[in-house]
Amino acid sequence: MKTITLYELNNLVRQTIEIGLPRSYWVEAEISELRENGGHCYLELIEKDKRYNTPIAKASARCWRQTWGMVKPYFEHTTGQQLRAGMKVLIEVHAQFHEAYGFSWIISDIDPNYTLGDMARRRQEIIKRLKEEGVFDLNKQLDLPLFAQRIAVISSKTAAGYGDFANQLYGNSYGYYFEAELFTATMQGEDVERSIIKALNAINDRCDDFDCVVIIRGGGATSDMSGFDALELAENVANFPLPIITGIGHDRDECILDMVSHTRVKTPTAAAALLIDNLHAVERRIDDARQRIANLTSRKMEVEKLRIGRLAERIPALFATVRDRHEARLDILRERLFRLAEMRLSNCGNIVGQLENKISSTVEHVLMVERHRLELLEGRTKNLDPQLLLRRGYSITLVGGKALRDPKQVKAGDKIETRLEKGTITSVVN
């Protein structure tokens, strides 16, 4: 049996591939992994089933340093995005098999227009979904408070844009007071969406402490804006209960975060200027209202002075008329009072006379009746006098000063008194 070495076998494979796949191919794929090393770029490509979103094909691809150094900046300049996992790309590849390193697809070009089309399609899908949910303009319908001075800021702590925002806000030429609290978040890279949503949740827990939210970036790479075109982040911003101002710091078309926010400005300093101008507009409104109030008050006082002057001129005549009217009314009331008093006194005199006559006859009758009753009582009293009984021959026996009615009331040895008409007899009971 004739044998060959592994190198010879791999060489046959290389020759077969070179003969069978002699040209380059433009391939549509999604990046599942991307890493750079030594100036080279290594990609893992994937294709998913459209119905079930499961992988149906995978492949590795490489872009060597010389090609990558030209492809990368052109792609980022054209799309405004960095190549990253999850992005769909149209790449030109050719097959390469190396006896020692195996098979790989070698990238010779990447078409940024294809990615732009896919990004635009995804953006339109997200915008359409937000509008179908009825939340696309929800945050815009909120009113920015007149005195928006308590500001929740979402930004990277070390970002130059945050420093510019703070300097502009606190150093405003009007001397307005602002209170800004920073909620740190990642503002570039793959963690942008999750990080900003986390900051929004923290602000929402203290919603009553703030008047509005400012999301600022500034100083980051303009080629890394994909995190601001995410559906979940857009839904959070659109449904947020406070007005959200975005100052992402880019000049290209609006990202979806800008579209659903309350107000979009270009830079962090412009966001600070917006808040300062809002407060200044309120101050002007207050000044205008104060001036209008002063003018109205002045005109009102002039009118009232004239009216009071005219009234003052009429007061003497009016007073004389009113005084005469009331004096006449008092005279009438005085006459009526005198007549009523005389009638009342006359009636009372008649009543008193009648009562005197009635009392006199009543008293005489009562005295006569009482006198007769006393005479009867006197006669009865005389009939009950014990002396009358004693004169008739009766006697009264007393024991202990009390009349004796029953022999059982005494015992042997007791002293008793017997009263007669002409004296008293003392006895001892045997």
Side-chain angles (χ1 to χ4, degrees), residues 31 41 98 125 240 273 278 325 336 375 377 388 394 414:
I31 300 174
C41 181
H98 192 278
E125 289 176 354
F240 206 72
N278 177 69
R325 187 183 303 154
R336 289 178 61 188
E375 289 174 354
L377 289 174
L388 295 176
Y394 293 100
D414 287 344

Side-chain angles (χ1 to χ4, degrees), residues 250-296:
H250 60 96
D251 295 324
R252 69 179 185 86
D253 294 338
E254 287 181 306
C255 62
I256 295 178
L257 180 65
D258 289 327
M259 296 178 185
V260 298
S261 65
H262 182 277
T263 306
R264 178 244 179 171
V265 294
K266 287 186 177 182
T267 62
T269 53
L274 174 68
L275 294 170
I276 296 168
D277 290 343
N278 177 69
L279 206 56
H280 186 55
V282 174
E283 184 182 22
R284 289 200 303 269
R285 287 179 61 184
I286 293 173
D287 289 340
D288 292 343
R290 182 169 56 240
Q291 188 60 47
R292 288 198 301 272
I293 291 172
N295 294 337
L296 288 172

Side-chain angles (χ1 to χ4, degrees), residues 17 19-28 90-95 105-109:
I17 290 174
I19 296 172
L21 301 171
R23 63 184 181 85
S24 298
Y25 302 90
W26 284 98
V27 180
E28 297 178 358
L90 179 63
I91 58 177
E92 184 182 22
V93 298
H94 63 272
W105 293 103
I106 304 302
I107 299 173
S108 55
D109 198 3

Side-chain angles (χ1 to χ4, degrees), residues 385-403:
D385 189 355
Q387 291 297 329
L388 295 176
L389 294 175
L390 294 177
R391 290 188 188 118
R392 294 175 186 169
Y394 293 100
S395 64
I396 299 173
T397 301
L398 304 172
V399 58
K402 297 181 178 180

Side-chain angles (χ1 to χ4, degrees), residues 67-176:
T67 304
W68 182 243
M70 294 184 295
V71 168
K72 177 182 178 182
Y74 177 68
F75 181 90
E76 291 180 352
H77 175 76
T78 304
T79 63
Q81 300 284 326
Q82 290 181 337
L83 284 162
R84 55 180 174 78
M87 180 178 287
K88 289 186 177 181
V89 291
L90 179 63
I91 58 177
E92 184 182 22
V93 298
H94 63 272
Q96 184 181 78
F97 188 86
H98 192 278
E99 290 83 348
Y101 302 109
F103 178 83
S104 64
W105 293 103
I106 304 302
I107 299 173
S108 55
D109 198 3
I110 301 177
D111 185 359
N113 295 315
Y114 175 86
T115 304
L116 278 174
D118 181 68
M119 289 167 54
R121 179 185 57 78
R122 289 181 57 197
R123 281 162 57 89
Q124 290 304 316
E125 289 176 354
I126 292 174
I127 292 170
K128 180 181 178 182
R129 180 167 175 179
L130 291 171
K131 289 182 177 180
E132 289 175 350
E133 293 174 357
V135 301
F136 188 79
D137 294 319
L138 207 58
N139 197 258
K140 289 181 172 61
Q141 296 172 9
L142 300 176
D143 292 325
L144 184 66
L146 295 177
F147 297 92
Q149 295 171 280
R150 302 174 302 163
I151 317 300
V153 183
I154 298 178
S155 181
S156 172
K157 187 174 183 179
T158 58
Y162 172 66
D164 294 340
F165 172 83
N167 292 335
Q168 179 85 358
L169 196 67
Y170 292 127
N172 69 88
S173 59
Y174 303 107
Y176 297 144

